[in-house]
Amino acid sequence: MTELTNPKSPRVKAARRLTKRAFRDRDRAFLAEGPQAVREALALPGVTVELFATAEAETRHADIVGAAVSAGVPVFRASGEVMAELAQTVTPQGLMAVCRFVHVPLSSVGETRLVAVLAHVRDPGNAGTVLRTADAAGADAVVFTDASVDPYNGKCVRASAGSLFHLPVVTGLPVDKAVAALKDRGLRILAADGTGKATLDDVDLAAPTAWVFGNEAWGLPPEVLALADEVVRVPIYGRAESLNLATAAAVCLYASARVLRQI
Amino acid sequence: MTELTNPKSPRVKAARRLTKRAFRDRDRAFLAEGPQAVREALALPGVTVELFATAEAETRHADIVGAAVSAGVPVFRASGEVMAELAQTVTPQGLMAVCRFVHVPLSSVGETRLVAVLAHVRDPGNAGTVLRTADAAGADAVVFTDASVDPYNGKCVRASAGSLFHLPVVTGLPVDKAVAALKDRGLRILAADGTGKATLDDVDLAAPTAWVFGNEAWGLPPEVLALADEVVRVPIYGRAESLNLATAAAVCLYASARVLRQI
């Protein structure tokens, strides 16, 4: 296999620019970095466009590189310098896939009993963590509204730890349209916000539910709170002023998951 | 008030070196950055040694600077350059306090019904987030064992969002000693780990409990699992391989808090 050694070569540059949203949107493609993400990407037929692997990663992750070859995905051996150019982490793990967009329209998602809506989540690490948590809690879909971070942001992809490839992700909808469509599906809309009068302990969670999560710093704006059937806060039993966003989302999603499992 | 303008002055250098653990341990002091942390530090008598404030922060946070003055805490006006030298964030908020260590021996902590033990938590952001979550869940203490990150690490202090000053924090104990002492207090020891046979849904949480949390990447080592009364995993209902540490801790601590509130 010939090794790509020039970080300025057209192929490397074409991949590299997918670190920018404008190019992702134009190419409808994004980067998935590291063995976990690449393995999950390859498990979805037709998603992986090409794979870059260092010689070391080819040896260490022979199963993953083998799966790519079997699937007919072009594999390029990359020098350390090329991988450093592509990677967005401090210690690259030697595997980088170019993937096609995986999001779907909300209308194509099957039965929904638990959905997470990221309404104003701006930090990609938080967004990816909520996506991972929603996956773990058995959510049927995660909606990134147009006011939230891009789910294909490299940091979000990494924080999702493969979950971006596990469950239907919807992106780009305005929050009011997303909420209306979820209501049409018969879901109860619960806005998670520190201003809620009801706490998580008060709310009956035994119904299909969409949780709406807001901004890290300022929560949800009034017009989004007004769309919800109920505004719910996670109770603070101690002296903390609030919970961080991903933590609050985990408590809400798992509270719902636990009840929905029992009915 | 004279303004400190020289980042190399002895006072600034003495504060600056508290970014390093060796100097923190020597001086038994640490840095608390930003209005939230400084406000909480000042609420504890005798904790704040001195306060650095930019002219802008003095105006914006006049209440905080006033509280420092009232408490007899020396306040130094710092130039932007001095604050940039002291601050560990990209966009400093103009307030930085030097604080005395606030941790306490476990023996001095009063009644304990819910305790979080960070056994091998290495990322300071995660550790601070767990501390904040434990505070929110009404935990009675948080124990940082000697194999975990320093609770006075700047990133941990920031992620705790003031919670470092809210509840008893114990630090430096070996995990076996910490567990033995908590058992002596009558607490049930639950190790949170993905290898657990029991899930959170199976376990009776209606007893005083200490949750033990492990490393971000590899969880808890066998010798720590062996110390626990039970090894418990957060159930994964979807396809995620695992939860991130702070998320799993939130789900566990809130599950306990909810049950303990009811008894």
Side-chain angles (χ1 to χ4, degrees), chain B residues 32-229:
Chain B
E33 184 174 347
Q36 187 178 32
V38 172
R39 190 181 285 117
E40 305 297 314
L42 286 167
L44 290 185
V47 162
T48 312
V49 178
E50 57 190 17
L51 177 63
F52 298 90
T54 59
E56 195 197 338
E58 262 181 58
T59 308
R60 181 179 303 176
H61 304 293
D63 57 327
I64 298 177
V65 175
V69 172
S70 303
V73 172
V75 179
F76 301 98
R77 184 176 293 166
S79 68
E81 205 187 343
V82 163
M83 189 53 72
E85 178 72 11
L86 290 176
Q88 297 170 276
T89 53
V90 183
T91 50
Q93 295 178 277
L95 286 178
M96 175 73 74
V98 173
C99 298
R100 288 192 182 87
F101 278 3
V102 293
H103 64 270
V104 294
L106 184 52
S107 56
S108 79
V109 178
E111 197 199 351
T112 40
R113 283 161 42 98
L114 182 59
V115 173
V117 179
L118 282 65
H120 286 272
V121 179
R122 303 308 276 270
D123 178 81
N126 279 340
T129 301
V130 175
L131 177 50
R132 178 179 178 186
T133 305
D135 178 15
D140 303 296
V142 174
V143 179
F144 286 66
T145 73
D146 59 1
S148 276
V149 69
D150 180 14
Y152 300 116
N153 173 298
K155 222 176 150 184
C156 179
V157 175
R158 285 196 300 286
S160 89
S163 291
L164 176 60
F165 302 104
H166 286 168
L167 74 171
V169 170
V170 177
T171 184
L173 279 182
V175 64
D176 54 344
K177 293 232 163 88
V179 166
L182 292 164
K183 279 187 178 172
D184 280 348
R185 286 176 164 255
L187 278 88
R188 191 155 169 241
I189 310 297
L190 298 183
D193 194 273
T195 62
K197 285 214 182 66
T199 81
L200 196 54
D201 296 345
D202 305 327
V203 182
D204 179 12
L205 296 171
T209 297
W211 278 102
V212 183
F213 303 111
N215 183 267
E216 290 82 353
W218 45 262
L220 285 165
E223 64 273 21
V224 176
L225 295 177
L227 298 173
D229 293 308

Side-chain angles (χ1 to χ4, degrees), chain A residues 34-56:
Chain A
Q36 186 178 33
V38 172
R39 189 181 287 117
E40 305 297 313
L42 285 166
L44 289 184
V47 162
T48 312
V49 178
E50 57 189 19
L51 177 63
F52 298 89
T54 59
E56 195 196 337

Side-chain angles (χ1 to χ4, degrees), chain B residues 22-46:
Chain B
F23 287 106
R24 290 197 294 269
D25 286 344
R26 204 190 68 175
D27 294 357
R28 300 189 61 76
F30 66 104
L31 296 172
E33 184 174 347
Q36 187 178 32
V38 172
R39 190 181 285 117
E40 305 297 314
L42 286 167
L44 290 185

